[in-house]
Each structure stands twice: as C-alpha cells, then as structure tokens.
C-alpha cells in the first residue's frame, strides 16, 4: 500500500516560476526522499531528508520536513521546461530503506 | 557505473502466457528491489533481495509471480498465466549498504501489456 500522498496531483506553471509540491504521510519515518520520473522512464533520486532534519537544499531544490504534521514539501526554484516530470515522495521506516513506500506523485508541467 | 538496466523495455503478451523480465543492477550493489507501477500511480514494492537471498515479499506478489537472484547479481521476475491486471511498468532498483543513505537507483523499467 502507498504511504505518501502528494498534493497537488497536477501543477502547471510558466518557466521561471517556482513550483511547490507537498507530501503527507501517515506513520513514523526514518527518512523521506523525493524522486523524479520523466514520462515512461525510471525514477531518479533527487534528495533525502532524515527525520531529524527540517530543511535541505540541493541546487534549485529545497525540501522541508515537518514530522509533527507528517508532511514534507519540495520547492523547485526558477523552473525550466526540462523540469517537466512527475515527482514522487517516498518514505522509509528505517535507515536501510528496504520498506520504501511511494505516493501517487505530482505531475509538473513547466511551460516555456 | 553503467546504471541499472532492464530487459526487455517493452513486452506485449496474450493473457495466459508466461513472461520473464531481467534486471542487471549496478555492479557493486548487493541489494535489489522490484516494484510495479500502474498509470498515474507511484511504484509499489514487490520484493527485495540482499545478495541472493529474497528477504521480503509484498502481498502483491501472488503465487503467479516469482523472482530469483541466483548468483547475487542479475535478477529475473517471472509472471505465470498473465492476466490483464498485470499490465504495468515493472521497475527494478539497486542499492549498496555501503552508501550511508542507501539510495536506490532505478532502471528504466519494463512495460508489460497483457492483451
């Protein structure tokens, strides 16, 4: 069964704008990860945030985690048309990530 | 590091036939995972190997599904007597326990269509 729920299900923005996607989950976690998937392709790991971290940055990506609300957000700044993809959050109950559970994803479209 | 590869990339079969997919993980990775992804959904965990040992199986993995990793390197996923509901993307991922985050690296997937 899937653990995370992404919100919104779909997001359409103009190039240069920021995109924010949210993820909520139900049980306690060791870490939360964000992945990206281009249409018909495999998933690419973007960033991992541990349960004792509140914010993490990687290039144009900023991830926050609020364990009290069981939620996370992914912010992509200065979006580009090449950012068009589906974005998934995945939660893991332990550091080995053997029990990763994915949400249904947010489909992001960045218009040039 | 050539990445995770999966073959075939696409498979079309008739209901009732058996199919087998192959996954070649990143060479030094000892963990290998299979997921299934249907349209508009995220990947769902099917099973996981550490070296050649199959350590966990999801209840999604019915008796018609079997996975092997005989030498702790490549893995195969076989579906017997396929049903239309088996149509999905089957994703393989691998990871190494030596990496602190144990990030999983995904292959491109095998898209199965059951007619």
């Amino acid at each position: 069964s899937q653990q995370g729920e992404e919100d919104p299900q779909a997001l359409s923005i103009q190039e240069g704008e920021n995109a924010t996607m949210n993820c909520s989950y139900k049980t306690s976690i060791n870490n939360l990860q964000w992945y990206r998937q281009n249409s018909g392709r495999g998933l690419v790991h973007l960033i991992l945030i541990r349960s004792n971290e509140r914010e993490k940055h990687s290039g144009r990506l900023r991830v926050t985690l609020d364990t009290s609300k069981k939620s996370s957000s992914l912010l992509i700044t200065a979006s580009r048309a090449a950012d068009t993809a589906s974005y998934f959050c995945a939660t893991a109950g332990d550091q080995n990530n053997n029990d990763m559970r994915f949400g249904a994803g947010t489909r992001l479209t960045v218009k040039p | 590091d050539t990445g995770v590869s999966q073959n075939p990339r696409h498979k079309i079969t008739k209901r009732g036939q058996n199919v087998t997919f192959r996954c070649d993980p990143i060479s030094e990775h000892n963990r290998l995972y299979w997921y299934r992804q249907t349209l508009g959904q995220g990947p769902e965990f099917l099973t996981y190997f550490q070296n050649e040992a199959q350590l966990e199986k999801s209840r999604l993995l019915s008796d018609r599904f079997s996975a092997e990793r005989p030498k702790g390197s490549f893995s195969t996923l076989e579906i017997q007597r396929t049903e239309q509901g088996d149509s999905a993307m089957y994703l393989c991922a691998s990871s190494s326990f030596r990496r602190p985050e144990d990030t999983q690296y995904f292959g491109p997937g095998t898209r199965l269509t059951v007619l």
Side-chain angles (χ1 to χ4, degrees):
Chain A
S1 61
Q2 297 191 314
Q3 157 84 304
E5 290 186 7
E6 285 90 343
D7 168 56
Q9 290 184 338
L11 179 62
S12 182
I13 59 174
Q14 293 294 135
E15 205 164 31
E17 294 180 339
N18 295 342
T20 299
M21 289 159 271
N22 302 297
C23 169
S24 60
Y25 57 92
K26 297 174 183 175
T27 61
S28 62
I29 61 171
N30 175 274
N31 65 72
L32 184 145
Q33 302 180 44
W34 285 90
Y35 282 81
R36 165 200 167 115
Q37 184 179 37
N38 286 70
S39 183
R41 301 289 189 90
L43 280 77
V44 175
H45 181 260
L46 295 176
I47 197 166
L48 178 150
I49 187 166
R50 295 184 178 85
S51 60
N52 61 353
E53 297 174 313
R54 291 297 166 258
E55 187 171 315
K56 209 163 182 180
H57 297 255
S58 177
R60 293 184 296 115
L61 306 181
R62 173 178 168 252
V63 169
T64 62
L65 178 65
D66 187 336
T67 53
S68 66
K69 295 181 179 178
K70 291 187 169 57
S71 67
S72 173
S73 67
L74 170 67
L75 168 68
I76 304 175
T77 59
S79 63
R80 305 166 182 167
D83 294 329
T84 295
S86 291
Y87 291 82
F88 296 91
C89 68
T91 57
D94 66 52
Q95 62 184 3
N96 294 315
N97 293 338
N98 294 331
D99 62 343
M100 282 212 310
R101 298 293 181 263
F102 287 83
T106 291
R107 174 70 190 167
L108 173 66
T109 302
V110 182
K111 300 175 185 176
Chain B
D1 181 350
T2 57
V4 179
S5 61
Q6 292 187 245
N7 288 289
R9 294 291 308 277
H10 303 274
K11 179 70 177 177
I12 300 174
T13 191
K14 293 182 178 179
R15 190 174 51 187
Q17 298 293 305
N18 299 343
V19 294
T20 300
F21 311 139
R22 176 177 170 129
C23 171
D24 286 89
I26 294 172
S27 59
E28 67 269 22
H29 285 183
N30 65 331
R31 291 176 175 163
L32 187 147
Y33 306 80
W34 284 99
Y35 293 86
R36 181 175 72 184
Q37 185 179 25
T38 53
L39 201 61
Q41 298 297 313
E44 293 177 293
F45 170 80
L46 291 179
T47 190
Y48 144 65
F49 290 85
Q50 180 161 306
N51 300 314
E52 66 275 8
Q54 189 173 16
L55 297 187
E56 190 175 342
K57 291 169 61 174
S58 163
R59 55 188 169 83
L60 292 175
L61 216 64
S62 74
D63 292 345
R64 297 184 298 106
F65 288 69
S66 62
E68 293 182 344
R69 195 182 183 199
K71 297 181 181 178
S73 56
F74 73 91
S75 174
T76 58
L77 177 68
E78 181 183 16
I79 309 174
Q80 297 182 325
R81 305 181 303 280
T82 52
E83 302 172 355
Q84 288 185 326
D86 297 331
S87 294
M89 175 81 89
Y90 290 85
L91 295 165
C92 174
S94 69
S95 71
S96 168
F97 73 95
R98 284 193 293 269
R99 285 181 58 86
E101 294 88 6
D102 274 327
T103 302
Q104 293 185 22
Y105 293 84
F106 281 79
T110 293
R111 180 166 295 284
L112 172 67
T113 302
V114 181
L115 302 175

